[in-house]
PDB file of all heavy atoms in Angstrom:
ATOM      1  N   LYS A   6       2.053   1.495  -7.303  1.00 38.00           N
ATOM      2  CA  LYS A   6       1.494   2.028  -8.549  1.00 38.00           C
ATOM      3  C   LYS A   6       2.136   1.419  -9.793  1.00 38.00           C
ATOM      4  O   LYS A   6       1.443   0.803 -10.595  1.00 38.00           O
ATOM      5  CB  LYS A   6       1.602   3.554  -8.572  1.00 38.00           C
ATOM      6  CG  LYS A   6       0.232   4.207  -8.499  1.00 38.00           C
ATOM      7  CD  LYS A   6       0.338   5.713  -8.606  1.00 38.00           C
ATOM      8  CE  LYS A   6       0.833   6.299  -7.315  1.00 38.00           C
ATOM      9  NZ  LYS A   6       0.932   7.764  -7.355  1.00 38.00           N
ATOM     10  N   PRO A   7       3.481   1.535  -9.944  1.00 40.00           N
ATOM     11  CA  PRO A   7       4.062   0.943 -11.136  1.00 40.00           C
ATOM     12  C   PRO A   7       4.067  -0.586 -11.069  1.00 40.00           C
ATOM     13  O   PRO A   7       4.019  -1.256 -12.079  1.00 40.00           O
ATOM     14  CB  PRO A   7       5.495   1.492 -11.130  1.00 40.00           C
ATOM     15  CG  PRO A   7       5.745   1.921  -9.724  1.00 40.00           C
ATOM     16  CD  PRO A   7       4.429   2.231  -9.116  1.00 40.00           C
ATOM     17  N   ALA A   8       4.079  -1.118  -9.866  1.00 39.00           N
ATOM     18  CA  ALA A   8       4.179  -2.567  -9.699  1.00 39.00           C
ATOM     19  C   ALA A   8       2.924  -3.298 -10.152  1.00 39.00           C
ATOM     20  O   ALA A   8       3.019  -4.376 -10.737  1.00 39.00           O
ATOM     21  CB  ALA A   8       4.456  -2.911  -8.231  1.00 39.00           C
ATOM     22  N   GLU A   9       1.775  -2.742  -9.885  1.00 41.00           N
ATOM     23  CA  GLU A   9       0.549  -3.469 -10.218  1.00 41.00           C
ATOM     24  C   GLU A   9      -0.433  -2.647 -11.043  1.00 41.00           C
ATOM     25  O   GLU A   9      -1.514  -2.299 -10.576  1.00 41.00           O
ATOM     26  CB  GLU A   9      -0.155  -3.927  -8.930  1.00 41.00           C
ATOM     27  CG  GLU A   9       0.684  -4.885  -8.128  1.00 41.00           C
ATOM     28  CD  GLU A   9      -0.134  -5.464  -6.976  1.00 41.00           C
ATOM     29  OE1 GLU A   9      -1.361  -5.334  -6.994  1.00 41.00           O
ATOM     30  OE2 GLU A   9       0.467  -6.032  -6.073  1.00 41.00           O
ATOM     31  N   PRO A  10      -0.021  -2.321 -12.259  1.00 42.00           N
ATOM     32  CA  PRO A  10      -0.932  -1.525 -13.081  1.00 42.00           C
ATOM     33  C   PRO A  10      -2.250  -2.254 -13.309  1.00 42.00           C
ATOM     34  O   PRO A  10      -3.305  -1.657 -13.351  1.00 42.00           O
ATOM     35  CB  PRO A  10      -0.168  -1.349 -14.396  1.00 42.00           C
ATOM     36  CG  PRO A  10       0.885  -2.419 -14.391  1.00 42.00           C
ATOM     37  CD  PRO A  10       1.175  -2.718 -12.969  1.00 42.00           C
ATOM     38  N   LYS A  11      -2.164  -3.570 -13.451  1.00 44.00           N
ATOM     39  CA  LYS A  11      -3.400  -4.321 -13.677  1.00 44.00           C
ATOM     40  C   LYS A  11      -4.316  -4.232 -12.450  1.00 44.00           C
ATOM     41  O   LYS A  11      -5.519  -4.091 -12.567  1.00 44.00           O
ATOM     42  CB  LYS A  11      -3.084  -5.799 -13.980  1.00 44.00           C
ATOM     43  CG  LYS A  11      -2.767  -6.019 -15.449  1.00 44.00           C
ATOM     44  CD  LYS A  11      -2.590  -7.491 -15.743  1.00 44.00           C
ATOM     45  CE  LYS A  11      -3.883  -8.251 -15.603  1.00 44.00           C
ATOM     46  NZ  LYS A  11      -3.687  -9.702 -15.893  1.00 44.00           N
ATOM     47  N   GLY A  12      -3.672  -4.308 -11.290  1.00 46.00           N
ATOM     48  CA  GLY A  12      -4.448  -4.211 -10.048  1.00 46.00           C
ATOM     49  C   GLY A  12      -5.261  -2.920  -9.993  1.00 46.00           C
ATOM     50  O   GLY A  12      -6.418  -2.923  -9.601  1.00 46.00           O
ATOM     51  N   GLU A  13      -4.656  -1.843 -10.451  1.00 50.00           N
ATOM     52  CA  GLU A  13      -5.357  -0.558 -10.394  1.00 50.00           C
ATOM     53  C   GLU A  13      -6.530  -0.535 -11.364  1.00 50.00           C
ATOM     54  O   GLU A  13      -7.577  -0.003 -11.073  1.00 50.00           O
ATOM     55  CB  GLU A  13      -4.389   0.566 -10.730  1.00 50.00           C
ATOM     56  CG  GLU A  13      -3.208   0.606  -9.759  1.00 50.00           C
ATOM     57  CD  GLU A  13      -2.966   1.992  -9.247  1.00 50.00           C
ATOM     58  OE1 GLU A  13      -3.472   2.946  -9.853  1.00 50.00           O
ATOM     59  OE2 GLU A  13      -2.265   2.132  -8.217  1.00 50.00           O
ATOM     60  N   LYS A  14      -6.287  -1.110 -12.513  1.00 51.00           N
ATOM     61  CA  LYS A  14      -7.352  -1.174 -13.516  1.00 51.00           C
ATOM     62  C   LYS A  14      -8.601  -1.837 -12.926  1.00 51.00           C
ATOM     63  O   LYS A  14      -9.683  -1.289 -12.909  1.00 51.00           O
ATOM     64  CB  LYS A  14      -6.868  -2.010 -14.723  1.00 51.00           C
ATOM     65  CG  LYS A  14      -6.430  -1.168 -15.921  1.00 51.00           C
ATOM     66  CD  LYS A  14      -7.487  -1.147 -16.973  1.00 51.00           C
ATOM     67  CE  LYS A  14      -7.227  -0.125 -18.060  1.00 51.00           C
ATOM     68  NZ  LYS A  14      -6.146  -0.474 -18.976  1.00 51.00           N
ATOM     69  N   SER A  15      -8.362  -3.051 -12.420  1.00 57.00           N
ATOM     70  CA  SER A  15      -9.495  -3.813 -11.908  1.00 57.00           C
ATOM     71  C   SER A  15     -10.105  -3.089 -10.699  1.00 57.00           C
ATOM     72  O   SER A  15     -11.245  -3.295 -10.356  1.00 57.00           O
ATOM     73  CB  SER A  15      -9.054  -5.217 -11.511  1.00 57.00           C
ATOM     74  OG  SER A  15      -8.105  -5.131 -10.466  1.00 57.00           O
ATOM     75  N   LEU A  16      -9.275  -2.263 -10.066  1.00 63.00           N
ATOM     76  CA  LEU A  16      -9.748  -1.520  -8.909  1.00 63.00           C
ATOM     77  C   LEU A  16     -10.894  -0.604  -9.324  1.00 63.00           C
ATOM     78  O   LEU A  16     -11.924  -0.539  -8.674  1.00 63.00           O
ATOM     79  CB  LEU A  16      -8.576  -0.684  -8.390  1.00 63.00           C
ATOM     80  CG  LEU A  16      -8.505  -0.416  -6.889  1.00 63.00           C
ATOM     81  CD1 LEU A  16      -7.074  -0.109  -6.516  1.00 63.00           C
ATOM     82  CD2 LEU A  16      -9.429   0.673  -6.477  1.00 63.00           C
ATOM     83  N   ARG A  17     -10.684   0.100 -10.424  1.00 65.00           N
ATOM     84  CA  ARG A  17     -11.746   0.968 -10.903  1.00 65.00           C
ATOM     85  C   ARG A  17     -12.919   0.155 -11.437  1.00 65.00           C
ATOM     86  O   ARG A  17     -14.067   0.513 -11.264  1.00 65.00           O
ATOM     87  CB  ARG A  17     -11.225   1.888 -12.012  1.00 65.00           C
ATOM     88  CG  ARG A  17     -10.651   3.181 -11.458  1.00 65.00           C
ATOM     89  CD  ARG A  17     -10.006   4.002 -12.545  1.00 65.00           C
ATOM     90  NE  ARG A  17      -8.934   4.814 -11.995  1.00 65.00           N
ATOM     91  CZ  ARG A  17      -7.765   5.013 -12.599  1.00 65.00           C
ATOM     92  NH1 ARG A  17      -7.519   4.439 -13.759  1.00 65.00           N
ATOM     93  NH2 ARG A  17      -6.857   5.776 -12.040  1.00 65.00           N
ATOM     94  N   ASP A  18     -12.573  -0.954 -12.087  1.00 67.00           N
ATOM     95  CA  ASP A  18     -13.628  -1.786 -12.671  1.00 67.00           C
ATOM     96  C   ASP A  18     -14.616  -2.251 -11.611  1.00 67.00           C
ATOM     97  O   ASP A  18     -15.801  -2.438 -11.886  1.00 67.00           O
ATOM     98  CB  ASP A  18     -13.009  -3.024 -13.350  1.00 67.00           C
ATOM     99  CG  ASP A  18     -12.265  -2.622 -14.622  1.00 67.00           C
ATOM    100  OD1 ASP A  18     -12.426  -1.455 -15.030  1.00 67.00           O
ATOM    101  OD2 ASP A  18     -11.542  -3.455 -15.170  1.00 67.00           O
TER     102      ASP A  18
END
Side-chain angles (χ1 to χ4, degrees):
Chain A
K6 248 183 284 181
E9 298 188 15
K11 275 185 68 180
E13 301 228 343
K14 259 258 169 73
S15 62
L16 212 157
R17 271 174 209 139
D18 289 349

